[in-house]
């Protein structure tokens, strides 16, 4: 039996750790509860010849059926938020150490900054900042998942994205080096944090102090818009495809193209293209990952056939 430098589960079910609830198990699931433990787990896996995968909130992920060989490291237990110490200057290499734990209630006054580990839930951060009257994360209202994944893929919507509030990000580079990257050193793009394969361990986030009522109203407004246009009460992985280049598509979004191609309502087993929003596939019961993956290919082919546009996945797929 292999021993790991953190909590570890063998043949752990991953479907319950994704929002669409499909897929199989991981041979090993490691659950570090601190960024240092994450690095130790990462190194231990690499030393044993595994190329670990990182699981955040599973909100944008489809895991294939069966057993996924190798090691998955989850940020589930790395959900802490800290105040930024007044003397912290964010220099590269600076530790996250001079920070006070979240047990000290966050105060509303400027500087409106906090340090959050990768496993913080995005909805949790939206709530915390809303209650403080800190502005910057309203457009993330209703976006599921963890901060690490949100930064890695620059999650967001048309009114804002995760990187809008990132002051610096703590990463583990593919070479196994820890780095603190300032915002100016990064070039996030649409749905891509562009971190070159580096793994996000945490970040310093910077907000703007605003009227509590105004922030609250904007959050409520985004939630209303979302539930009016997206199947928010059903199991899904969010938008399946990226919106194509506007010039190519004549400004039509992926959802609009799916609808135009007559693909809304297509189904494989319990996997259905949502009738509410064409860019969502929902699991209406006991869908298998293969149903979802087949349906994605069917929709992609149909859209390509009818419109000449080949949609690219926004969702990540883990298979052997
Ligand atoms: N539309 C249709 N049919 C559909 C769906 C949409 O005609 O079935 C039309 C809408 O009427 C609208 C346009 O397409 O005119 C755009 O739709 P929407 O406003 O729903 O936005 P979106 O571009 O489809 C993007 C993000 C969402 C984010 C929303 C809101 C992508 C791929 N999607 O959706 O992000 O929540 O804006 O800000 O960038 C996600 O990333 O998982 C996600 C859901």
């Amino acid at each position: 039996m292999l021993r790991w430098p953190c909590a570890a589960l063998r043949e752990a079910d991953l479907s319950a750790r994704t929002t669409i609830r499909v897929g199989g198990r991981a041979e090993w699931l490691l659950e570090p509860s601190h960024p240092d433990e994450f690095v130790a787990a990462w190194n231990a896996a690499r030393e044993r010849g595994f190329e670990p995968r990182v699981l955040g909130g599973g909100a944008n992920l489809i895991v294939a059926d069966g057993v996924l060989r190798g090691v998955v490291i989850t940020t589930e237990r790395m959900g802490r938020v800290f105040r930024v110490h007044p003397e912290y200057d964010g220099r590269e290499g600076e530790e996250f150490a001079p920070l006070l734990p979240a047990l000290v209630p966050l105060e509303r006054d400027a500087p409106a900054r906090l340090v959050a580990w990768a496993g913080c839930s995005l909805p949790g951060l939206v709530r915390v900042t809303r209650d403080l009257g800190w502005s910057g994360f309203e457009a993330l209202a209703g976006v599921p998942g963890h901060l690490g994944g949100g930064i890695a893929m620059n999650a967001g919507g048309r009114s804002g994205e995760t990187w809008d509030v990132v002051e610096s990000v703590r990463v583990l580079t593919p070479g196994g080096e820890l780095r603190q990257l300032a915002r100016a050193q990064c070039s996030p793009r649409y749905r891509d944090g562009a971190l070159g394969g580096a793994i996000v361990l945490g970040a310093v986030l910077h907000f703007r102090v605003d009227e509590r009522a105004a922030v609250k109203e904007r959050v409520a407004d985004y939630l209303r818009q979302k539930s009016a246009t997206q199947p928010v009460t059903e199991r899904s992985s969010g938008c399946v495809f990226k919106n194509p280049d506007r010039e190519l598509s004549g400004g039509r979004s992926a959802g609009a193209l799916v609808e135009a191609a007559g693909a809304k309502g297509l189904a494989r087993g319990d996997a259905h293209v949502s009738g509410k929003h064409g860019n969502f596939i929902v699991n209406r019961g006991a869908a298998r990952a293969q149903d979802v993956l087949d349906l994605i290919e069917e929709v992609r082919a149909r859209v390509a056939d009818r419109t000449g546009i080949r949609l690219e996945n926004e969702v990540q797929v883990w298979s052997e």
Side-chain angles (χ1 to χ4, degrees), residues 73-84:
I73 309 180
T74 172
T75 57
E76 185 68 43
R77 297 191 185 197
M78 285 171 40
R80 301 184 71 189
V81 184
F82 303 81
R83 286 206 304 187
V84 179

Side-chain angles (χ1 to χ4, degrees), residues 59-60 139 141-144 153-160 190-191 222 225-226 229-230 236-244 251-260 264 274-280 314-315:
N60 192 48
V143 175
M153 67 163 294
N154 198 13
R158 275 169 302 126
S159 317
Y190 167 68
R191 291 301 185 275
Y222 286 126
Q225 278 177 33
K226 230 179 156 70
T229 56
Q230 298 180 5
S236 79
S237 319
C239 284
V240 173
F241 303 108
K242 292 185 184 184
N243 281 336
R252 283 179 300 173
S253 68
L257 290 167
V258 172
E259 179 165 345
K264 268 187 166 176
S274 166
K276 197 165 187 181
H277 194 300
N279 203 5
F280 282 69
E314 184 195 274
V315 290

Side-chain angles (χ1 to χ4, degrees), residues 160-218:
E161 47 195 24
T162 312
W163 275 83
D164 295 348
V165 300
V166 173
E167 179 180 307
S168 68
V169 58
R170 174 82 148 176
V171 298
L172 180 63
T173 67
E177 198 194 336
L178 274 175
R179 291 192 67 195
Q180 183 85 17
L181 303 172
R183 173 66 184 80
Q185 293 171 275
C186 304
S187 314
R189 298 184 292 254
Y190 167 68
R191 291 301 185 275
D192 182 5
L195 290 169
I199 289 151
V200 177
L201 297 178
V204 181
L205 306 179
H206 199 159
F207 302 86
R208 188 171 53 79
V209 177
D210 197 355
E211 293 301 321
R212 271 201 185 90
V215 179
K216 196 170 165 197
E217 185 45 41
R218 284 194 294 270

Side-chain angles (χ1 to χ4, degrees), residues 3 7 19 31 40 72 107 115 132 143 233 281:
R3 289 183 62 82
T19 51
E31 301 186 313
V72 173
E107 284 138 20
V115 170
L132 288 161
V143 175
T233 58
I281 289 181

